[in-house]
Each structure stands twice: as C-alpha cells, then as structure tokens.
Amino acid sequence: MAEQAPKTDNHYDVIVVGAGFAGMYMLHKLRGLGMSVKVLEAGTGAGGTWYWNRYPGARVDIESMEYGYSFDKELEREWRWSERFATQPELLRYVNHVAEKFDLLRDMQFETRVETAVYDEDGQGWTVQTDTDEEFSARFCIMATGCLSTPKNIDILGIEDFKGPVYKTFDWPREGVDFHGQKVGIIGTGSSAIQTIPEIAKQAAHLTVFQRTPNYSIPARNAPISAEMQADWDANRDTYRAQARSEGFAAITESNENLALETSPEDREREYERRWKFGGLRLVAAYADLLTDEDAKKTAADFVARKIRETVTDPKTAGILTPTPDMYPIGAKRICIDTGYYETFNRDNVSIVSLRDAPIDKVTENGLNTTNEEYGFDALVLATGFDAMTGTLNRMNICGVNGAKLKDKWADGARAYLGLMVAGFPNLFVVTGPGSPSVFTNMIMAIEQHVEWIADCISHVNERQISTIEAAEAAEEEWVSHVAEVASATVLQRADSWYMGANVPGKTRVFMPYIGGFPAYAEKCNEVAANGYEGFELRGAAEARA
Ligand code: NAP
C-alpha cells in the first residue's frame, strides 16, 4: 500500500459519505492510492443497510457466497458463511470482520450525518457540514449513501396518536423487540415485511397484516451451507464469480436467451418448477422475454399464483395474497425472496386485511380504522419502504457550480452520467447512483465495479494534475435518454414501484436504475475510461471551473 498523504485539520483528499459496503471498500481502495480519506457515517457503526435493517428475519436475498466482496482473495478464502442466505447479524459480523481486517475504523467517524455538501467557489473541491457542527473539506466527495437508505415519509393519518410502540423495519431497535403475548399490526407487504412477518408471527399473540398491494414472493430455500457446497465454492470460486459478472443481474441466475413464449407449456412448467425448488431469484431469470413481454410474464405470474393457492389453505386469504397481472406485471415490483411467508397465513394467530378493498382511514390510539372496520393492537410495525435511489441525496443539501442544488436539478427525475457523476457537480462521485444497474444487480458486484472505476478515475486525474472532472451535459443527456429507452423496451414501468419513484407521493415518475444488464454497463464504463474519460470534462488547475 502507498504511503498515506498527510492531512491538515479537517481537510482530506477525499470525503466518503456512508460506511456501508460501498464506503468501506472505497476507503480501502483510496488508501491504496495513498490518499487521505475520511468516512462520515450517521450510524454508530459500519454496515449501512445491514446496520439499520435489524428487523427479525432480515436476510440477504442473493446467495451469501456471491454476496461477499470479491476484491480480496484471502478475505474470500477465510470467511465462512453459515447459510445460503445470511442473516443480518451474520452480515454485520462480516462487516466488522472486513473493517478489522483492513483497519478501516480509524478513518471512519460515526454518529455524524452529513447535512450539506457545497462545491467550493474556488473550484478546489467540496466542503461538507455535519449535524455535529463540524466542517470537513476535500478535493473529492464520494456519496456512498446507498440506494435504499432513506425511509419514505410515513404518510398515514393519525400515526402519532397511537399509544403503543411503533417499530420501523428500517430503523429497528438495536436491543431487539419481544412480541410475546402482544397483538401486533404491520403495515406493508414488500421485501422487509415478507421477511419479518413469519418471525413476528412466531411470537405474537396475534398478527394482523395490512396489505395494500400483494407481492410475488419466491421461497429462498435457505439452508446451512453444506461441506460439499463449501468445497465446490473453494474449488471454483473464480469461475463462479466470473459467471456472476457475465449475467445481467451480476448474480448466478442461469439467465439465457430462451423465450417463454417459444417453449411448450409442459417444458416451461418443468423449468419454473425446477427453479422454484432451487429457490431464490432464478425463477424470474428463466426466460429472456420475462423482462419485456407481458404474455411471457403472465406464464410466470400464473405459476406463482398457483403456488400461493397450493400453499395457503384459506382461499379468501390466498386470493388477497395473490397479485394479478392487471395490478402489475411480475418482476415490475422487486421480487421478494422469503422463508415461510405464505405458510405463515395458515397460522391461527395471523390474519390479513386487504387495503385495496378498504383503505386505511386513520391510525387511532389503540389500533387502526379502515374505511370498513376497526382493528386493535398493542404494537405497530411499519415496513413502508424507502425514498429509493435519490431520497438520501435530495435530502442532503448538495450545491454544485454557482450554488445550483442537486435536488432542483433532479426535481423532474434523477440525471447522472453513467449513474456516477452529475453535470454541474465536479469532483462529486455517486456509488451505484441512479442510471447505473445498482438495485437490478447483486449490489456487491455493482459496488465493487463502481468503487474500482472511481479509484481508477481519481488516479488518472491525479497523475495528470487535473484539478476537476465533471460529467459533460451532452454525455449526461445522452446517457439519461439511453437509460429511459432501455427501460421503455420492458414492461417494468407499468408498476407503481420504488424503481419508478411511484411509492413516494409527489415524486416524479422516472425509471431510475439502468436495466441494460451489468456486463454491457461495465463494458461501457471501461470504454469511457479507456477513451480518456469520454463524456467527462477534465480541467487543469488554471482552468478549474469556479
Ligand atoms: P417496499 O418494497 O417499498 O414495500 C413497502 C410496503 O409498504 C408496500 O407493501 C407498500 O404498499 C406498503 N405501504 C407503503 N406506504 C403505505 C401506506 N401509506 N399505506 C399502506 N401501505 C403502504 O419496501 P421494503 O419492503 O422495505 O423493500 C424495499 C426494497 O429493499 C426491496 O424491494 C429490496 O430491494 C430491498 N430489500 C431487500 C431485502 C433483502 O435483500 N433481503 C430485504 C428487504 C428489503 P404498495 O406496494 O401498495 O405501495
């Protein structure tokens, strides 16, 4: 590792905002370039998503073996995952192991939320201010703030009137919660709820699930990692990693060019059944036209609907839990991966209320009224989701050239070149920003690809004594159009999903992630770099834009 440059007071070469998987690797990588780095993090520890989302049942929905970092062979060899889909506590243990192994904590400052980031008028970099009343400055600022890190505002009338505790999946008490003997209500049936409902149901006297829109969920088939599986990974890890990187989702999903609509119903059924039994994300990657064709999607949707009806014994409950293609095409809302979700509704102590039939009127002192009925409970759980992809950055006061605010620029939808940099905001990078594959991939692969690209870019800039790098307006425009065009060739825009910003009242409906696939995207990023950072404006000290 190169010698670290000395720093003066609160000035650094780079400020990284966020100490999740992205911030951790970014710090490690930049240290390797000999740069002084400060990581600022709101939580009391590292881990990002896995620090905050401690609700019972929280697990990764990508196979653990594929989810760990791939950048360090020794780390890969020495870490042993215990289950196919690791739990949040295990993921946090992994985070702490990585932090210790690479001695990351000494450059991280916790309990420090960045509130403002302003591009300096002299064009030399960024000044950030925190809720601890501290000021930090740096040439480069890197937002490693995650895609699902700011909860959406709770837009439910009367929530403050509820007398019992209100728990939020996205900010769960560190000491845990004991629901034994309690009547519990939960609002939401997205991935977080689908993971936590089976666990809360095991404790609660009664659990009432308030569902507005049903989701498609696929069993994880979680299990301990067997000695055979471990040995296979140990022997073939590089091959498996390469295979993941070659697939659209940057995960091993057995994606292929076969078309559902050109496959006989019998063969299709066999294939869906095989993937359903395997568990995890593979079912939705069974056929190439599942992304683009409504009729193809219907074949997968019908298959899952049948599985729900076979699992849930009460037909009325099964009906409420089953999405129909007129609500949204399967996959247009993020597919959930569960452990015993549908089975939980066969328990005597669990009931479901369809808010489609009777919406929430208001939360009361002792429960909740729908327009039809009153429900009482002792504790309320909110699993209501996030202001995804842009929420965290828009809430931070980020000001670029001439004081222009990022949130104003993004008022009609996020705009970023390759999801990495924004025109008008020189020397500011975003890890897995809008317009990159990010949430449409195994996030770790997307994070590693971005971190490495950003580190190479900063290295390039430093070697040539360039003072600023900034996305060019024209390149940004072209990329944003390309992202929209690729999305419009699919049926993903038909859902009121968080991909579209449609879960947040008032947010502009724009499809935010890039769904052209991880390999094509990574190739484009490499090409841009190889062509001297094509589409970026690089300026020397004398011409720095103020
Ligand atoms: P989400 O998918 O956005 O789900 C939020 C749920 O709350 C939806 O069912 C939504 O209903 C409901 N809701 C929101 N506001 C409501 C209101 N005012 N009244 C009634 N219902 C309301 O959020 P999430 O479950 O936290 O998951 C977000 C994403 O995080 C996932 O898609 C996934 O990418 C990630 N995640 C991953 C994992 C994992 O890896 N294992 C686990 C959890 C989350 P509508 O659908 O009708 O809006």
Side-chain angles (χ1 to χ4, degrees), residues 10 20 45 50 61 64 79 82 103 109 162 168 197 208 247 267 291 303 329 350 392 407 415 437 450 469 477 488 540:
N10 276 353
W50 302 113
D61 63 1
S64 316
W79 183 261
S82 68
D103 190 19
Q109 181 170 321
F162 185 64
K168 299 161 181 164
I197 284 168
T208 309
E247 290 206 30
D267 287 349
L291 200 58
F303 177 85
V350 177
T392 306
K407 84 168 185 319
R415 308 176 64 73
H450 264 196
I469 174 161
E477 175 63 38
S488 68

Side-chain angles (χ1 to χ4, degrees), residues 75 79 85 87 179 199 223 227 322 355 494:
L75 172 66
W79 183 261
F85 297 91
T87 60
F179 288 112
E199 294 304 314
T322 308
L355 301 174
R494 264 207 41 213

Side-chain angles (χ1 to χ4, degrees), residues 17 54 160 162 185 194 228 296 370 433:
V17 186
R54 295 164 187 257
E160 61 291 343
F162 185 64
I194 279 176
E228 293 74 28
T370 65

Side-chain angles (χ1 to χ4, degrees), residues 209-286:
V209 176
F210 295 94
Q211 172 192 273
R212 193 163 63 184
T213 313
N215 262 294
Y216 292 95
S217 190
I218 294 169
R221 312 275 177 216
N222 184 44
I225 289 182
S226 64
E228 293 74 28
M229 186 180 178
Q230 186 65 57
D232 181 37
W233 264 82
D234 287 343
N236 301 299
R237 195 179 301 275
D238 289 349
T239 311
Y240 290 149
R241 291 293 202 180
Q243 188 180 341
R245 282 195 195 89
S246 74
E247 290 206 30
F249 294 115
I252 303 172
T253 61
E254 295 183 81
S255 61
N256 57 71
E257 294 305 309
N258 299 339
L259 300 179
L261 297 181
E262 287 184 1
T263 307
S264 73
E266 297 74 28
D267 287 349
R268 208 166 49 210
E269 176 71 16
R270 239 191 321 276
E271 185 61 8
Y272 285 148
E273 188 65 39
R274 184 179 74 78
R275 288 171 182 253
W276 179 264
K277 286 211 172 102
F278 184 85
L281 281 174
R282 293 190 188 198
L283 184 108
V284 280

Side-chain angles (χ1 to χ4, degrees), residues 200-455:
I200 296 176
K202 285 178 195 163
Q203 291 190 351
H206 191 88
L207 175 64
T208 309
V209 176
F210 295 94
Q211 172 192 273
R212 193 163 63 184
T213 313
N215 262 294
Y216 292 95
S217 190
I218 294 169
R221 312 275 177 216
N222 184 44
I225 289 182
S226 64
E228 293 74 28
M229 186 180 178
Q230 186 65 57
D232 181 37
W233 264 82
D234 287 343
N236 301 299
R237 195 179 301 275
D238 289 349
T239 311
Y240 290 149
R241 291 293 202 180
Q243 188 180 341
R245 282 195 195 89
S246 74
E247 290 206 30
F249 294 115
I252 303 172
T253 61
E254 295 183 81
S255 61
N256 57 71
E257 294 305 309
N258 299 339
L259 300 179
L261 297 181
E262 287 184 1
T263 307
S264 73
E266 297 74 28
D267 287 349
R268 208 166 49 210
E269 176 71 16
R270 239 191 321 276
E271 185 61 8
Y272 285 148
E273 188 65 39
R274 184 179 74 78
R275 288 171 182 253
W276 179 264
K277 286 211 172 102
F278 184 85
L281 281 174
R282 293 190 188 198
L283 184 108
V284 280
Y287 297 104
D289 49 354
L290 289 183
L291 200 58
T292 53
D293 190 298
E294 297 234 13
D295 290 336
K297 275 187 178 289
K298 197 168 170 307
T299 64
D302 288 348
F303 177 85
V304 178
R306 206 170 62 243
K307 290 292 181 191
I308 298 172
R309 285 196 299 274
E310 282 168 16
T311 310
V312 179
T313 48
D314 173 44
K316 183 165 177 250
T317 304
I320 294 173
L321 284 165
T322 308
T324 51
D326 61 295
M327 290 178 193
Y328 61 93
I330 187 170
K333 276 179 185 254
R334 164 91 173 203
I335 285 284
C336 304
I337 306 295
D338 72 274
T339 300
Y341 178 62
Y342 294 120
E343 290 83 348
T344 296
F345 291 90
N346 294 333
R347 295 177 67 111
D348 291 339
N349 68 332
V350 177
S351 52
I352 187 160
V353 175
S354 170
L355 301 174
R356 284 179 97 78
D357 303 334
I360 296 175
D361 177 28
K362 61 176 179 190
V363 172
T364 63
E365 277 190 12
N366 302 310
L368 177 162
N369 294 351
T370 65
T371 50
N372 261 359
E373 219 170 313
E374 290 181 16
Y375 298 88
F377 37 81
D378 309 309
L380 176 59
V381 176
L382 297 177
T384 41
F386 298 87
D387 185 351
M389 305 205 72
T390 55
T392 306
L393 297 176
N394 279 342
R395 270 170 225 206
M396 228 182 275
N397 185 21
I398 301 177
C399 299
V401 173
N402 297 328
K405 289 183 189 299
L406 184 72
K407 84 168 185 319
D408 292 340
K409 171 160 177 160
W410 283 6
D412 295 327
R415 308 176 64 73
Y417 180 35
L418 300 172
L420 275 160
M421 289 196 100
V422 182
F425 297 79
N427 290 7
L428 179 89
F429 295 90
V430 184
V431 183
T432 62
S436 73
S438 58
V439 293
F440 249 85
T441 62
N442 170 2
M443 282 299 291
I444 297 301
M445 292 284 116
I447 284 169
E448 288 190 335
Q449 185 256 338
H450 264 196
V451 164
E452 286 160 15
W453 190 94
I454 292 168

Side-chain angles (χ1 to χ4, degrees), residues 141-208:
C141 183
I142 301 178
M143 294 298 175
T145 40
C147 297
L148 293 153
S149 45
T150 293
K152 71 169 199 154
N153 288 334
I154 311 299
D155 49 354
I156 301 171
L157 190 69
I159 198 93
E160 61 291 343
D161 296 335
F162 185 64
K163 285 278 162 56
V166 178
Y167 301 110
K168 299 161 181 164
T169 49
F170 38 81
D171 188 9
W172 200 257
R174 304 191 78 194
E175 64 281 9
V177 181
D178 182 1
F179 288 112
H180 281 102
Q182 292 194 36
K183 286 197 284 179
V184 183
I186 180 166
I187 301 177
T189 49
S191 296
S192 303
I194 279 176
Q195 290 189 330
T196 205
I197 284 168
E199 294 304 314
I200 296 176
K202 285 178 195 163
Q203 291 190 351
H206 191 88
L207 175 64
T208 309

